[in-house]
Amino acid sequence: MTENRFFLKDAKEHLGKTVEVKGWVYNKRSSGAIIFLQVRDGTGFIQATVVKNEVGSEVFQKASEATLESSIIVEGILREEPRSPEGFEITVKKITLVDVVKDEYPIGKKDHGPDFLLSNRHLWIRSKRQWAILRIRSRIFQAVEDFYQKEKFTRFDTPIITPNACEGTTTLFELDYFGQKAYLSQSGQLYLEAAIASLGRVYDFEPVFRAEKSKTKRHLTEFWMTNCEMAFCDLEENIKVQEELIMYLIKELLEFCQQELKIIERDLAPLKNIKAPFPRLSYDQCLKKLHELGSDIKEGEDLGNDDETILMNHYKQPLFVTHYPSEVKAFYMKKDPKNPGRVLCADLMAPEGYGEIIGGSQREDNFEVLKKAMEKNKLSLKDYGWYLDLRKYGSVTHSGFGLGIERFIAWVCKLEHVRETIPFPRTIYRMSP
Ligand code: 4AD
Ligand code: MG
């Protein structure tokens, strides 16, 4: 049905032809007998030039009535125009006004504060910059799927409503499940661990929820995570897969999102320079480095937001921080046989000050050790019995990781805050629109 429909993204193939653009007026300029309408159709942007002498007074009148954000159909000849950012423009012949906006559009040229923009997120997403970020998001989602499929992983959709926590009990969203307590999933990982004995290598890609009381530029309460889990895989191989995934996502981004990256004015050099293998620091080395850089982090403490920023302002490549103290990490991580106070884990930190984008580890595969860790963490064996079962029936060395997609996008787009990377962000202070 849409095969004959013209979209601006295909402008190049229609040079010299008459095209019809269905879209919205996002900007407008006039100089006496010429009106320039800036039109977008969802796939791209174009200038539509309306010359009074050429179109006659009726069409010209319509062009003057087309206010900002009015929906419109313009018909005209597509021409090359090297002076325009798109390289093309339309010489208009005909205009249909679909819906003329009578009120002043709330988002104008002046600088609005973030709160105003977020309250008008339903309109803000129309801006060129937000369009570009959301297009990049869409492409990254596709690239994640492509990567896992290409690497012979099977997609395995884990539940959102769960009877137990995955990542500690402090950030759980609780709900009343027919008189029983249930929680929104913090990560699909535990269920992916069940899947490996059926499917070997699996991944999920879903919204997850954390009642984060933190007010940082890195935290949302609803965000998207892609987890993967691999049977017969140790920490070392887990790290390799992460490097491959990140390199693949960056390659796809640079290849398919050139226009979008240009719109948001991303400096591409730091991204083009990213190269695996990424540097690594053990937790102990990391603490030393942090102290050198001026942090007052104490032995045994988890890295705070500020620590991540200081550390990653210092690095031009993503950095793995490995072997954290078991106290600051989740119960399921495997203890380091060489140093039982540490776990076989690696967090991947993004450069340019961005900090953690991936959390991952080798998992505890020994029934007794895991049972003890669960008891120590006061996890009910009733709720987690099924998870312990996995160590009873064909337990294997296995590992996996979870990438926070908003954090990744914030980095590659070099955004101030993760809230611009998701269509309708949810944070401690906001769940509307
Ligand atoms: O490090 P986390 O908590 O790891 C897990 O959930 C593991 N179960 C993953 C696994 O091993 N399969 O979360 C993974 C990633 C973080 O590195 C971060 O990028 C992102 O999820 N993340 C958040 N993103 C936005 N807002 C928040 N509140 C986030 N919390 C974590
Ligand atoms: Mg983490």
Side-chain angles (χ1 to χ4, degrees), residues 87-117:
F88 311 102
E89 71 165 26
I90 289 177
T91 307
V92 174
K93 289 197 284 197
K94 192 177 153 198
I95 291 179
T96 310
L97 293 172
V98 180
D99 183 36
V100 175
V101 174
K102 292 171 199 76
D103 298 348
E104 193 186 336
Y105 188 61
I107 300 182
K109 274 199 185 120
K110 66 170 187 221
D111 268 346
H112 299 290
D115 211 52
F116 175 86
L117 290 171

Side-chain angles (χ1 to χ4, degrees), residues 167 210 302 329 347 356 358-360 407:
E167 295 297 319
R210 295 196 187 178
D302 199 1
K329 287 294 182 193
D347 279 355
E356 184 192 335
I358 292 182
R407 297 239 186 122

Side-chain angles (χ1 to χ4, degrees), residues 408-424:
F408 177 79
I409 297 168
W411 163 43
V412 295
C413 292
K414 206 160 184 196
L415 304 178
E416 201 36 54
H417 198 294
V418 283
R419 65 191 166 207
E420 271 184 79
T421 67
I422 188 163
F424 289 95

